[in-house]
Amino acid sequence: MGHIIGIDLGTTNSVCAFMDRTEPRIIINEEGGRVTPSVVGFTKTGERFVGDIAKRQMLINPDATIHSIKRFMGRRYRDARSDLALVNYTITEAANGDCAVAINGRTFSPQEVCAMILQKLRKSAEDFLGETVTEAVITVPAYFTDRQRQATRDAGTIAGLDVLRIINEPTAAALSYVHDRKKASTIAVYDWGGGTFDISLLSVDRDVAEVRATRGNNTLGGADIDRRIVDWLLERFRDEHGIDVSDDKIVMQRLRDSAERAKLELSSAPSTEIHLPFLVSDSSGPKHLQCSLTRATFESLAEPLFQQTLAECRNALEEARLDVGDIDEIIMVGGSSRIPRVQEMVRELFGRPLNKTFNPDEVVAIGAAIQGGILEGEVKAVTLLDVTNFSLGIETQGRRFEPLIPKNTTIPTQKTQLVSTVVDNQRTVKIHVLQGESPDSRENVSLGEFELQNIQPAPRGVPRIQVRFAIDASGIVNVSAEDLRTGISDEITIDAPTGLSKVELERAREEAQVAAEHDESAREIKGLRNMVEKELVTLESFLRENRGLLPKTDIFELEQALKRGRMALLKASDKRNLDALLRYLQRFHQHLREKMESQARMH
Ligand code: AMP
């Protein structure tokens, strides 16, 4: 059986790990890195790149480079409007009301873009492990809703992966802790990444990890900190030059890039210089931006965001009915947890030193791999008692929200509800299912209108349909129904219009496979062209070095071969021709070498 890989699919970076027997190990990607930027870049000719190469083109091609796509996964366009300013590419509204990415005249669902990242991780894993990889455990922020979890699972399916389990990022970090320590304690996992913040409080024992409470914010991450610095830079530029550059995409990308770099530097230095020459030009000439940002100014700019994370920590303690003194260990996860002021504030809040033995970039992927190991049976089972982080309920009259499964219920869980008809012979009943905490259903996240169809004709109020709401171990909601009069459940079909339909999913999966094959063949062609180029260079230097020793006919033949080779390299773009050309050059090279050797023997 192949390995089950563990994937931390991050907003900024993704990491992949596997269980090497009983020890988790990080998978090194094709570029030799342990971390892969969650970035997909497109060229005008339709080529696409994922990871480091895509990240490198972000500055020069900002509207065709997709980053932070996780922020738009499984979200309605109308709910994601405030996030559009964080990216330079175009987010539009798909026919189903979800977010979509418009690029070079095509639109992609966020699931498809995420699938491109997953495909890259899968390919790296296959190269690294030397085997086909088809199964994965993927982590998501604890505060991901059902729609976002479904979207993540769909992205896996599109990438050709069977997503065996979706686990919460902080819970994955806790699994790493259990695997490492096996010591009973109450731990806090403070997880602040590029796009989201989560705090989870867990009780862990030798073989049980129980989530006591989780709080978080799906739209509070390192990108929001960068945005504060960008706003500060925009203001400085406006004050100095009287120009507002916020509409210029390239300028905004440069500002965002420098803002992030400045932030990173300020984690180790007390101040940093921001120097952006030739930011814009007007009739009076080019305008530059040069300023220094101190750690103190940075901290005051980002303070409200830091405070928001602390407020969530306090809420989590309250929900778990724990006191700060009850927390034995604080594990810091995610890149933003490296900010010194953040560490100081968290330390002050909990009144104890932070546990810094885990790599904040890798601990989540390691936890996902351990969960994979548990599913494989390779690792001794740790019972993971996770909770649902939102109340699940239905809409009742007057747009009220009636919770059925309250938040912080241990998953998997289920609840049934009896429904009936309101008019005679009514054949369908609509149930609007939502997640959230507001008594007003409009303020919660809609999971869709589940329509119960094919109800047996009967006077109103007589049908008794039992609707079962279940949340599985991945935190994904399933709705099923049974007619209690007939006892038959499949007479009622459920139409739940959320996210991608089965047909769309299958189409996306096929397209992704074709694109991957195309990428693979483009890679092979690139490799072959490289080899031909190398062979030509070797032959050219062979000719230079041996011109005096070779007979005129050989020199002529070699010059012809080199000329033909160079011409063919210009034209040949398919594998067969390049392969033939390479073999011809190699044979020619061999023939010359043998000839030289026999000449040398004769002398
Ligand atoms: P993650 O989603 O965990 O990969 O975290 C990525 C986020 O962490 C990005 O917003 C980075 O800018 C931020 N980050 C990474 N390293 C540091 C650091 N040393 N100081 C501040 N922020 C960081």
Side-chain angles (χ1 to χ4, degrees), residues 452-455 465 481-483 488-494:
L452 311 179
Q453 298 154 334
N454 300 338
I455 296 168
I465 298 144
E482 185 187 350
D483 188 333
I488 303 170
S489 51
D490 43 284
E491 277 208 343
I492 298 172
T493 56
I494 293 180

Side-chain angles (χ1 to χ4, degrees), residues 315-353:
N315 290 337
L317 283 164
E318 200 179 306
E319 269 179 20
R321 296 203 182 85
L322 286 170
D323 193 61
V324 281
D326 297 327
I327 307 295
D328 303 307
E329 299 266 12
I330 303 135
I331 299 171
M332 302 296 272
V333 180
S336 304
S337 74
R338 289 207 170 95
I339 297 172
R341 177 71 186 135
V342 167
Q343 298 194 349
E344 187 183 306
M345 287 166 90
V346 176
R347 203 167 39 235
E348 275 169 12
L349 175 75
F350 288 100
R352 57 170 39 255

